């Protein structure tokens, strides 16, 4: 399968923007959405630990209840899909052992051969200067970036959203009981025809101010 060309990649990244108004009548096809879900599953994370879970909120009534907890931003109810990206909380040794068990299952590696890896990762996690929640949120943002780029390549609009009340979301969705805490939202679907931001210029600093080559 041929990869996207540089021109195709840049064209789609120029096309994408943080959608302010979605068309509530257009839904992402199931096959396309399945691919976007897999983009989350395939996202990279530190040590491959995947300290996250992605909650796809399909219930329209629940989404309406979340609207005031998101400063009444209409994307929450109008987008085809709403995803709450959450972090494992608390993250600890049980999560490391779960990951090691998955490695053993997928690769057939005997558990004893993973002992060194376990010591390395546990030393990192148990460092007194380590904040597992902050670390986990950084990992979630890796997944968010992969999702946004994947959506653009598929011609799907998206909007990352930090303007919400995390603890209120956690309570509304029962996330604490599941062992998770919300970190960031992302909505996906199709831009509304009257979204005035759709054709606006990208406001970016010049490349030579953003990228510095050290030789």
């Amino acid at each position: 399968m041929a990869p996207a060309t540089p021109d195709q990649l840049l064209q789609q990244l120029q096309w994408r923007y943080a959608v302010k108004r979605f068309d509530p009548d257009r839904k992402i096809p199931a096959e396309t959405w399945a691919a976007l879900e897999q983009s989350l599953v395939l996202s990279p994370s530190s040590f491959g630990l995947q300290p996250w879970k992605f909650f796809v909120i399909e219930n329209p009534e629940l989404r309406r209840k979340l609207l005031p907890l998101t400063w009444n931003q209409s994307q929450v109810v109008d987008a085809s899909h709403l995803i709450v990206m959450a972090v494992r909380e608390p993250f600890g040794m049980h999560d490391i052992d779960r990951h090691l068990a998955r490695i053993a299952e997928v690769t057939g590696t005997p558990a004893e051969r993973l002992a060194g890896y376990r010591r390395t990762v546990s030393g990192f996690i148990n460092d007194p200067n380590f904040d597992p929640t902050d670390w986990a949120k950084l990992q979630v943002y890796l997944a968010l970036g992969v999702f946004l780029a994947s959506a653009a390549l598929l011609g799907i609009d998206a909007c990352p959203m930090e303007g919400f009340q995390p603890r209120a979301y956690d309570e509304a969705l029962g996330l604490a009981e599941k062992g998770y805490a919300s970190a960031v939202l992302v909505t996906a679907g199709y831009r509304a025809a009257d979204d005035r931001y759709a054709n606006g210029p990208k406001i970016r600093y010049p490349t030579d101010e953003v990228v510095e080559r050290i030789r």
Side-chain angles (χ1 to χ4, degrees), residues 131-139:
D131 185 321
T133 299
D134 284 348
W135 166 81
K137 286 181 178 179
L138 293 175
Q139 309 314 306

Side-chain angles (χ1 to χ4, degrees), residues 107-122:
T107 67
T109 303
E112 58 271 17
R113 290 183 56 187
L114 299 172
Y117 176 81
R118 186 180 191 276
R119 286 193 297 271
T120 298
V121 179
S122 62

